[in-house]
Amino acid sequence: MASLHQFIPSIFLFIFIIKGNSLPKYPPPSFSCGDGVNFAYPFWQRSQKPNHFGYTSLGVTCINKTPTIQLDNNHLYRVKSVNNSENSFVVSFYELGDTTCPVAPHDVVINRSSFLTYSNNVKLVNFFYNCTVYPSGVEPIKCLQVGARHSYVFLDGSVPKFDWKTNCDSLVTIPMSIESSITTDFGKGMKQGFELKWSTSVECASCEASSGLCVYDNEQMFSCSCGKGGRYANCHERGLVSSKFKWGLLSIGLLICCVIIGVTILYIVKKRKDGSYKRGFNRLPTGGK
Ligand SMILES: *[C@@H]1O[C@H](CO)[C@@H](O)[C@H](O)[C@H]1NC(C)=O
Ligand SMILES: *[C@@H]1O[C@H](CO)[C@@H](O)[C@H](O)[C@H]1NC(C)=O
Ligand SMILES: *[C@@H]1O[C@H](CO)[C@@H](O)[C@H](O)[C@H]1NC(C)=O
């Protein structure tokens, strides 16, 4: 019965493929972490892996009712609001405590070639922390003064000429959606965060244009869901893409399984028959002379 043991694992493999391929419920429900910010497609809840509607980078994790998202270099940000009609959302540093004089924890570098861009109201702001030598006639941030160490903040483009790199402990550049004076209101601005806009991801464009929604699986394989079961390139052509390939594999697999089972059964039946014939012959009286 060695052949039976051989095809049992393959049966499990196919069950696994079917299960891993199941589509999430349509339409994807909106959700919130409990703090009043509501999320809809293309956002999705990270706890919903492996298959999910929505863009891979817009996965939301709830941490104690605070919705968070991972952006540049997997840094964690708090999502403060979402506007689905404007394709925009506002984020701030997750690490920011409840201080009026916050320190920017790290640079923010949004990949400009990605589908996320800063909104028009976003300005880049430069912080120079703990400078031991400073240029004359420039106002430091009063609340960050530690002894003779001064810290400074300037809008990008209006940084006074000075060797900041040599004379300060750290240089951090972050985006802010701020209108008022940066020197006095940088704390408020950092807490308010900055606005990002998303555009339709490239592979998703023809799917969404045909009123479909994009689904990604564990391997970040993309497919288009059109409401009923099935995975497509888009909802006009209804041309099966990835699933065609996988269903093809599945049918070939099942066919091979059937053949193996069939051959095994035939083999067993034949062996039994041969055996019984032999036994039958054995029982036949030998020598009929
Ligand atoms: C989204 O932005 C538009 C235009 O600024 C505004 O009219 C609308 O109220 C906003 N929606 C939400 C939910 O904030
Ligand atoms: C920026 O995004 C593009 C497209 O998503 C990607 O190919 C590239 O590697 C990214 N660059 C960085 C520095 O992350
Ligand atoms: C500035 O220096 C002080 C004293 O060494 C330190 O406590 C503080 O964390 C430093 N601030 C920054 C932003 O590096």
Side-chain angles (χ1 to χ4, degrees):
M1 290 305 256
S3 44
L4 186 66
H5 289 123
Q6 273 158 10
F7 66 72
I8 281 177
S10 40
I11 290 172
F12 276 109
L13 179 70
F14 292 125
I15 289 170
F16 176 76
I17 288 174
I18 296 168
K19 209 164 171 268
N21 245 354
S22 64
L23 281 167
K25 211 172 132 199
Y26 185 99
S30 61
F31 63 94
S32 116
C33 293
D35 73 342
V37 181
N38 286 309
F39 295 92
Y41 177 94
F43 289 91
W44 56 283
Q45 239 172 331
R46 279 202 182 270
S47 51
Q48 279 187 342
K49 275 185 162 184
N51 293 327
H52 62 85
F53 284 102
Y55 302 167
T56 305
S57 335
L58 295 182
V60 172
T61 306
C62 296
I63 303 176
N64 299 329
K65 294 194 176 178
T66 302
T68 65
I69 193 167
Q70 287 180 343
L71 297 177
D72 60 321
N73 298 318
N74 292 337
H75 283 133
L76 206 56
Y77 293 86
R78 172 185 186 155
V79 185
K80 306 197 71 175
S81 62
V82 178
N83 191 324
N84 267 82
S85 53
E86 295 278 302
N87 282 16
S88 69
F89 62 109
V90 176
V91 298
S92 65
F93 290 114
Y94 177 72
E95 302 91 334
L96 233 49
D98 199 25
T99 167
T100 51
C101 195
V103 171
H106 53 77
D107 285 314
V108 178
V109 186
I110 299 297
N111 187 344
R112 285 176 193 276
S113 58
S114 80
F115 72 107
L116 287 177
T117 50
Y118 293 129
S119 291
N120 291 333
N121 67 4
V122 168
K123 294 175 181 127
L124 289 182
V125 177
N126 298 282
F127 288 92
F128 304 98
Y129 290 118
N130 280 351
C131 310
T132 45
V133 178
Y134 11 90
S136 56
V138 184
E139 185 87 4
I141 301 171
K142 282 204 175 64
C143 64
L144 284 178
Q145 203 162 321
V146 184
R149 292 163 180 259
H150 289 186
S151 297
Y152 298 86
V153 58
F154 306 101
L155 284 178
D156 217 37
S158 44
V159 181
K161 272 214 152 49
F162 184 67
D163 191 358
W164 299 101
K165 218 166 192 158
T166 310
N167 296 312
C168 309
D169 269 1
S170 56
L171 289 59
V172 180
T173 303
I174 67 166
M176 270 191 204
S177 301
I178 193 168
E179 259 120 67
S180 49
S181 160
I182 192 75
T183 317
T184 53
D185 284 344
F186 75 92
K188 214 169 98 190
M190 210 185 291
K191 283 183 183 169
Q192 278 169 3
F194 56 94
E195 190 173 78
L196 290 166
K197 286 189 160 248
W198 75 84
S199 50
T200 302
S201 65
V202 177
E203 68 261 41
C204 214
S206 80
C207 171
E208 285 183 8
S210 66
S211 305
L213 298 178
C214 287
V215 179
Y216 291 85
D217 65 19
N218 250 351
E219 292 87 41
Q220 315 228 332
M221 281 266 288
F222 151 81
S223 59
C224 189
S225 170
C226 304
K228 296 179 194 102
R231 293 160 161 249
Y232 307 96
N234 64 60
C235 301
H236 290 319
E237 291 166 14
R238 295 244 165 179
L240 283 157
V241 207
S242 61
S243 54
K244 187 181 191 175
F245 176 67
K246 281 182 180 167
W247 278 115
L249 271 187
L250 187 66
S251 4
I252 291 170
L254 284 177
L255 195 70
I256 291 172
C257 265
C258 289
V259 169
I260 291 175
I261 294 171
V263 168
T264 311
I265 289 172
L266 276 179
Y267 177 74
I268 292 167
V269 167
K270 194 167 183 298
K271 218 175 172 186
R272 286 228 169 119
K273 265 190 177 168
D274 287 352
S276 58
Y277 282 153
K278 262 184 200 149
R279 275 197 292 277
F281 281 123
N282 285 346
R283 263 185 244 117
L284 280 177
T286 49
K289 282 182 193 166

